Amino acid sequence: MKRISIWSLMVAMILFACDSIEDKKGRFLLKGNEKLEENDPKSAIGFYEESLKLDSTYADAYFNKAIAQLRINQLENAIADFSKAIQYKTDYTEAYFQRGLTYLDNGEFYKAREDAEWMKENAKEDWKSFFLAGLVQEKFKNFDEALLAFKKASSLDPENSDLLVNQATILYYQKDLESATETLVQAESINPFEPNLHNLKSMIAFDQGNYEQALESVEKAIDLNNRQAYFYNNKGLYFLYLGKIEEGLDLINQSLRMDPNNPYALRNKGIYYVLMGDKISAMQYLEELHNKYPDMDLVEEYYQKAQKL
C-alpha cells in the first residue's frame, strides 16, 4: 500500500510539473473565484496574486482581484488593479465600467467621466456605457444630461428595471414627482423586488406628506435589502415625522454606524434635536450642513427653527 501511495504521488507530481503556465495560472484564478463566491475576498486575493506571480500580465486576474478588493472597500487598490487589467487588455470594457464606478465611489468624478467617454466611444451598443455616463452627470448635477443617458441605456436594455429607477431618481431630483411615479410603475412591472424602487417610492410619498405610506414603502426596501444605510436613515426620518422621536433617533444612529459620512443622516439628527428643543445640539449639526449643503431639502427649514429655539 505504501508503494502504491508513493507511486501515485509521483505520478501526480509529474502530471502537475507537465502543466503549462497557462493551466496553473488558470487554476489559481478559478480557486480565487470559488473563494469570492464563498464571500471570502481576502483568500480570493491570495489566489489571484499566485496567478499573477505566474503571469504578471494576466488581465483577468487583475480584474478579479480588483472586484475582491471592492468587497473589502479597498477602493484605491481596486482602481490600481482595474488599471492594470486595462493596461494588459486595452479593450477590456468591463474593466473600464467597473473602474468608472469605483472612481465615482472614491469621489474622482472627472476620472469616471473619462471612462464613461471611452465606453461611449468604444462600446456604443452596451447599456453600461450610458448608465455610467448618467451616473457621472448625476454627480455633476447635470440632471437633463443624466436623464438622457439613462434613457439611452434603457433603449439598449429595455428589461432592466434599475435603469428606470435611475430615471425616476433624476425626475425626483427635478421635483417632477408625477413623472417619477409613472416611471416607477414601469420599473415595478418589470421587477417588483428592486429595493431602491421602494425606497424612492417612500421618498416621493414623504414629499407628498403621506408619512405612513412612506414608512410602508421603506420597510419593503429594507425587507429586500437590509444592508443599505440610507434606507434606515429614511425610516428614521419618517418616524420623526410620525411622532416616534426616540425610535427615529435609534434608526438614524444605526444608519450613521453603517455610514458615518452621510450628510442626510447628520441632517436628520439635527432635526431630532430641533424636535427635542435642544438648540445647542441642533446647531452643531445644522449650522455646518447649512454652510456646506444649503440646498439640501429640510436644512434651511430646520436651521431657521433651530435658531428660534
Side-chain angles (χ1 to χ4, degrees):
M1 291 294 292
K2 189 172 182 182
R3 286 182 180 177
I4 294 172
S5 296
I6 293 171
W7 175 249
S8 299
L9 180 61
M10 288 176 66
V11 171
M13 290 174 66
I14 290 167
L15 288 173
F16 186 79
C18 292
D19 279 350
S20 67
I21 295 294
E22 200 71 21
D23 291 336
K24 290 177 183 177
K25 74 178 188 182
R27 200 156 36 236
F28 281 124
L29 186 78
L30 290 174
K31 287 180 179 178
N33 294 348
E34 288 171 3
K35 288 297 179 184
L36 205 54
E37 288 180 8
E38 294 168 5
N39 199 28
D40 185 1
K42 290 184 178 179
S43 295
I45 289 169
F47 282 117
Y48 297 139
E49 287 174 344
E50 289 299 318
S51 185
L52 288 166
K53 287 178 185 177
L54 295 167
D55 180 358
S56 62
T57 68
Y58 194 8
D60 287 343
Y62 282 116
F63 178 86
N64 289 14
K65 184 181 167 203
I67 295 294
Q69 286 164 333
L70 289 179
R71 297 274 187 94
I72 51 178
N73 206 36
Q74 293 182 349
L75 301 187
E76 296 284 353
N77 291 342
I79 288 168
D81 280 328
F82 284 134
S83 298
K84 281 284 189 181
I86 291 166
Q87 178 184 341
Y88 295 116
K89 187 177 177 182
T90 55
D91 62 346
Y92 207 151
T93 303
E94 189 65 21
Y96 275 101
F97 176 65
Q98 293 294 339
R99 187 176 70 174
L101 293 177
T102 310
Y103 276 140
L104 288 176
D105 288 341
N106 208 39
E108 299 179 75
F109 303 154
Y110 288 97
K111 290 182 179 179
R113 186 168 66 182
E114 290 176 9
D115 282 349
E117 290 301 319
W118 184 93
M119 290 190 68
K120 284 165 63 181
E121 181 66 28
N122 294 278
K124 294 183 176 68
E125 300 306 312
D126 191 336
W127 66 268
K128 292 178 182 177
S129 304
F130 297 93
F131 175 64
L132 179 59
L135 293 177
V136 169
Q137 294 297 343
E138 181 180 339
K139 289 294 185 183
F140 284 114
K141 299 190 183 302
N142 298 326
F143 295 137
D144 288 338
E145 291 87 344
L147 189 58
L148 285 172
F150 290 138
K151 285 182 176 179
K152 176 63 175 177
S154 280
S155 73
L156 294 169
D157 189 6
E159 295 303 308
N160 189 331
S161 63
D162 290 345
L163 299 175
L164 289 168
V165 174
N166 281 100
Q167 290 176 49
T169 300
I170 299 300
L171 291 165
Y172 171 79
Y173 291 155
Q174 294 177 320
K175 303 300 181 185
D176 187 351
L177 302 188
E178 183 177 349
S179 296
T181 301
E182 290 172 359
T183 305
L184 286 179
V185 169
Q186 285 182 264
E188 194 165 6
S189 69
I190 296 170
N191 179 14
F193 304 109
E194 167 51 52
N196 289 311
L197 183 158
H198 294 287
N199 181 63
L200 185 56
K201 282 177 70 174
S202 82
M203 294 164 66
I204 292 171
F206 175 80
D207 282 6
Q208 294 172 330
N210 192 343
Y211 306 135
E212 291 285 358
Q213 180 60 53
L215 182 61
E216 181 181 330
S217 292
V218 82
E219 285 176 341
K220 282 184 184 177
I222 292 170
D223 286 342
L224 291 166
N225 183 350
N226 61 9
R227 299 183 302 278
Q228 292 293 351
Y230 52 95
F231 294 174
Y232 294 99
N233 181 52
N234 283 349
K235 185 176 178 180
L237 176 65
Y238 307 154
F239 269 154
L240 295 184
Y241 272 73
L242 287 165
K244 301 178 179 180
I245 307 297
E246 296 305 324
E247 291 173 72
L249 178 63
D250 288 343
L251 285 160
I252 294 163
N253 284 335
Q254 180 179 349
S255 176
L256 282 167
R257 286 192 295 272
M258 297 168 74
D259 179 6
N261 300 314
N262 181 359
Y264 288 92
L266 298 173
R267 176 202 67 185
N268 291 350
K269 227 174 160 176
I271 292 173
Y272 164 81
Y273 284 116
V274 170
L275 296 176
M276 295 299 292
D278 185 342
K279 179 176 183 176
I280 294 174
S281 298
M283 290 297 286
Q284 284 178 344
Y285 289 94
L286 295 171
E287 189 162 29
E288 183 175 354
L289 289 169
H290 188 262
N291 292 331
K292 285 186 176 180
Y293 309 101
D295 297 327
M296 184 188 291
D297 287 347
L298 303 177
V299 166
E300 178 66 28
E301 176 186 346
Y302 280 91
Y303 178 67
Q304 295 296 334
K305 288 181 178 181
Q307 287 183 315
K308 293 176 183 176
L309 288 174

